[in-house]
């Protein structure tokens, strides 16, 4: 089975997943999207309300800013694989509820899914978006201490960044995110660098 087919099978398994109680309250699981041979993988925390409704990662306000970050770095959304540590929306309160961070049990239940995505896609660079994703790849590190500093783990480079949702706190955060996100393409091995988008 080729990587594209393997990823499609995995996505369908994730959509049917009942490993944790989040399956009872979600509209749908959000496996992720992007090419099976993507050299860059972006990993966030968990789907929000819009993602839960649409079944796609990063389609709300944070997703729109992420698209602009990709464009400013000379990348296109169609070139990268985007997913989350947890594949179903965690929230509190009566529907539609308020987003919350996933629990340790929810993260543990979803761990095999992300592990398998990494095995199939084999990205050269993983961009972690926020503390939850950072903890998955580099446990024990504080995002405030390591953001923007790439770390090589085996044949893969991990680039810890703040979550795009931080852009709502003003221009300072937007500038920081753009500056640090611009490093993504430079971290790719020369042979696998995607061509810059025409401006």
């Amino acid at each position: 089975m080729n990587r594209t087919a393997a990823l499609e099978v995995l996505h369908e398994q994730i959509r049917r997943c009942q490993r944790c109680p989040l399956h009872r309250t979600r509209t749908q699981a959000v496996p992720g999207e992007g090419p099976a041979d993507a050299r860059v993988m972006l990993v966030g925390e968990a789907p929000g309300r819009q993602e839960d409704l649409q079944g796609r990662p990063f389609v709300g306000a944070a997703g729109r800013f992420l698209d602009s970050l990709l464009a400013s770095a000379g990348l296109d959304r169609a070139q990268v694989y985007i997913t989350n540590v947890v594949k179903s929306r965690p929230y509190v309160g009566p529907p539609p509820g308020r987003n919350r961070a996933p629990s340790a049990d929810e993260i543990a239940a979803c761990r095999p899914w992300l592990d398998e995505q990494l095995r199939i896609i084999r990205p050269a660079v993983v961009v972690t978006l926020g503390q939850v994703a950072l903890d998955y790849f580099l446990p024990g590190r504080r995002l405030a201490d390591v953001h923007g500093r790439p770390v090589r783990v085996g044949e893969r480079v991990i680039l810890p960044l703040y979550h795009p949702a931080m852009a709502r706190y003003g221009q300072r955060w937007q500038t920081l995110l753009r500056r640090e996100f611009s490093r993504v393409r430079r971290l790719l091995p020369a042979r696998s660098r995607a061509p810059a988008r025409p401006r």
Side-chain angles (χ1 to χ4, degrees):
M1 184 183 299
N2 64 35
R3 282 198 278 177
T4 298
L7 195 58
E8 288 174 356
V9 169
L10 180 64
H11 284 182
E12 188 53 40
Q13 291 172 338
I14 292 170
R15 291 186 185 100
R16 297 196 306 266
C17 180
Q18 298 184 6
R19 288 179 175 171
C20 79
L22 290 179
H23 79 272
R24 301 190 195 110
T25 55
R26 72 189 182 207
T27 303
Q28 57 194 316
V30 183
E33 67 180 21
D37 60 352
R39 304 307 292 143
V40 177
M41 179 185 282
L42 310 179
V43 182
E45 176 177 294
R49 185 184 180 205
Q50 287 304 313
E51 290 76 17
D52 176 68
L53 291 172
Q54 297 185 40
R56 298 180 59 215
F58 284 90
V59 292
R64 290 190 292 274
F65 186 64
L66 178 62
D67 288 346
S68 76
L69 290 174
L70 285 165
S72 68
L75 293 166
D76 188 274
R77 189 178 177 110
Q79 296 172 302
V80 302
Y81 188 85
I82 307 175
T83 191
N84 287 291
V85 172
V86 169
K87 313 303 187 188
S88 298
R89 182 195 179 206
Y91 69 91
V92 294
R98 177 173 51 84
N99 295 341
R100 64 165 173 82
S103 70
D105 287 347
E106 291 159 355
I107 292 169
C110 262
R111 177 171 285 276
W113 298 133
L114 182 51
D115 286 348
E116 186 65 6
Q117 287 170 322
L118 289 162
R119 188 193 70 77
I120 292 170
I121 298 167
R122 304 194 296 272
V125 177
V126 173
V127 181
T128 63
L129 303 173
Q131 185 68 51
V132 170
L134 174 62
D135 288 342
Y136 191 95
F137 291 92
L138 299 172
R141 313 282 182 100
R142 289 179 65 247
L143 185 54
D145 296 332
V146 300
H147 67 89
R149 301 177 188 173
V151 178
R152 180 165 289 281
V153 179
E155 297 183 356
R156 181 175 298 142
V157 175
I158 310 298
L159 179 62
L161 297 182
Y162 283 104
H163 195 282
M166 296 299 288
R168 69 179 182 269
Y169 293 116
Q171 187 61 47
R172 183 175 72 88
W173 284 102
Q174 294 173 25
T175 301
L176 174 68
L177 280 160
R178 289 187 193 283
R179 182 174 70 244
E180 294 186 345
F181 207 92
S182 70
R183 299 171 186 165
V184 174
R185 286 188 75 251
R186 296 199 297 271
L187 293 173
L188 286 169
R191 62 180 174 77
S192 65
R193 282 183 191 155
R197 293 182 62 198
R199 296 182 181 272

